[in-house]
Amino acid sequence: MLRRTKIVATLGPATDSVESLEAIIKAGVDVVRLNFSHGESEDHIQRANRVREVAGRLGRFVAVLADLQGPKIRIARFSCDKITLNAGDCFALDTRLGTNDGDQSAVGIDHEAVINDTRKGDVLLLDDGRIELLVKSNDGVRIECDVLIGGVLSNNKGINKKGGGLSAKALTDKDKADIKVAAQFDADYVAVSFPRDASDMNEARALLADAGSEAGLIAKIERAELVADNEMLDEVIRVSNGVMVARGDLAVEIGDAELVAIQKHIIQRARALNRVVITATQMMESMITSPMPTRAEVSDVANAVIDGTDAVMLSAETAVGEYPVEVIEAMNRICTGAERSPTTQVSQHRIHESFEKIDESIALSAMYAANHLKGVKAIVSMTETGATPLLMSRIRSKLPIFSFSGQLHTQRRMALYRGVQTIPFNAADVENEAVNRFAIDTLLEKKVVENGDLVILTKGDYVNAQGGTNTMKVLRVGGEIR
């Protein structure tokens, strides 16, 4: 059984060598994430080049995702590196303190969003929500707080506001420079951190275009105010190529109790709007130091798969963890097991809607025919842009979708689409009337089908033309193929 859900792995010291990179790709990695919150530009360029070299040698299409740091708001540093806060203590965030002058009573901060957007009664969350501060006053220079939940607080920890509302711009000067770096190594996807609305994603797309990049844009859903407004969320999804359920900062802002329902909602909306969706953060975190996942982690990954996520993402597990290959193998097992559930193979996606585009009608018709016609073992899409396989992949199915394409950027981008497998195909090498036979022979060679099986194939009148999918055929393997 071919795994349908894709695996995204974050690169770092644990996976920097050619040998370790080759091992995780062989184990099942489909997309690599370059985390621009760490490392220098040259590090990311070298990692991207290594991925391309290793994947090419292995005959795999692996997409490269450049993840921008975004406006991560942090406290400054302590003169003694860390302090311990207890519930009931008084503690302040002070713009007048030097970068390294924090002490038991206060720490520096220089981000205007915290000063401008914080009011008496707000709750500030430090260090991914581990420490909670109740704001008593804000005079525009110093924010006085009472500690609600204490703990150890060290240098440069992040700040969020419960319920959201910190109005920091999504794209920092660093992000704008990093977009040019991503364009330099031809990133397949660029993820934008903390977008506030559709305008942030439009700005990122314009910057990508100016840099000469056609990378797909992934909106990381991290702000409480974004998930509280369904219309705004849908607008962000529509102007993006996909979204990431970034559960770390999102959970800090909305609270753990709300996270599961919000995750399901984001996945559902992304699929309904024909966009890809990645589920991320702490999916297999125990495997940073353990060779086996916990039962809770198994359930977490499996439930995301059952909900219809296109991909599940690993962060520190593969960037700095002790078992990068084992965690990929475990995630592969869990995804494949979850995909055996009947709920992952039944779809009502847009069944009662009308369609405006011919290629959209063909794509969805092909999937419904494949799911309901006995004997179908595979779906084939002859594609230039990957648009038809993307639409197909929104329909739940147990059948693999094979995308025949000659465009390298399309081949790599489709590595993120659920259920889609890419097969290189140069239309110039095959006569138009021989395309169907070529597709069937390729599937036979790969032992995907055998004589008597049915294959559903979609294409345009001219297989090397963009946006021209207008034909669906049901072909019987071993029969007359035209």
Side-chain angles (χ1 to χ4, degrees), residues 7 35 40 45 49 79 91 110 125 127 130 139 148 155 158-159 170 184 255 278 300 323 332 350 357 392 438 462:
I7 296 175
N35 185 0
E40 302 298 324
I45 293 170
N49 289 338
S79 58
F91 189 70
D110 63 0
L125 308 162
D127 192 13
R130 294 179 178 89
D139 63 7
L148 296 179
N155 298 330
I159 304 175
Q184 186 177 337
I278 303 167
D300 182 33
Y323 302 97
N332 182 58
R350 303 185 67 188
K357 298 179 180 179
M392 288 177 167
F438 175 85
Y462 301 98

Side-chain angles (χ1 to χ4, degrees), residues 245 258-271 279 303-304 306-308:
V245 188
E258 307 295 329
L259 181 61
V260 173
I262 291 295
Q263 172 179 313
K264 290 176 181 292
H265 176 67
I266 296 169
I267 292 173
Q268 186 273 326
R269 292 311 302 154
R271 293 186 63 83
T279 304
N303 274 302
I306 291 170
D307 287 341

Side-chain angles (χ1 to χ4, degrees), residues 6-20:
K6 304 305 180 75
I7 296 175
V8 183
T10 302
L11 299 188
T15 42
D16 262 348
S17 71
V18 171
E19 293 76 17
S20 60

Side-chain angles (χ1 to χ4, degrees), residues 26 97 124 175 187 193 198 233 238 428 462:
K26 283 182 176 178
L97 282 179
L124 296 178
D175 296 330
S193 297
L233 176 63
R238 285 191 182 97
Y462 301 98

Side-chain angles (χ1 to χ4, degrees), residues 342-354:
T343 59
T344 68
Q345 302 168 16
V346 178
S347 181
Q348 297 293 318
H349 179 68
R350 303 185 67 188
I351 195 167
H352 300 298
E353 294 183 24
S354 299

Side-chain angles (χ1 to χ4, degrees), residues 207-259:
L207 290 168
L208 275 171
D210 289 344
S213 172
E214 296 181 353
L217 269 183
I218 302 295
K220 295 172 67 178
I221 310 301
E222 301 177 273
R223 293 184 185 258
E225 55 267 38
L226 188 55
V227 298
D229 187 324
N230 288 337
E231 185 175 337
M232 187 182 297
L233 176 63
D234 279 3
E235 287 177 358
V236 168
I237 295 171
R238 285 191 182 97
V239 300
S240 307
N241 298 96
V243 297
M244 182 189 296
V245 188
R247 304 185 302 179
D249 284 287
L250 180 60
V252 170
E253 292 208 355
I254 67 174
D256 292 338
E258 307 295 329
L259 181 61

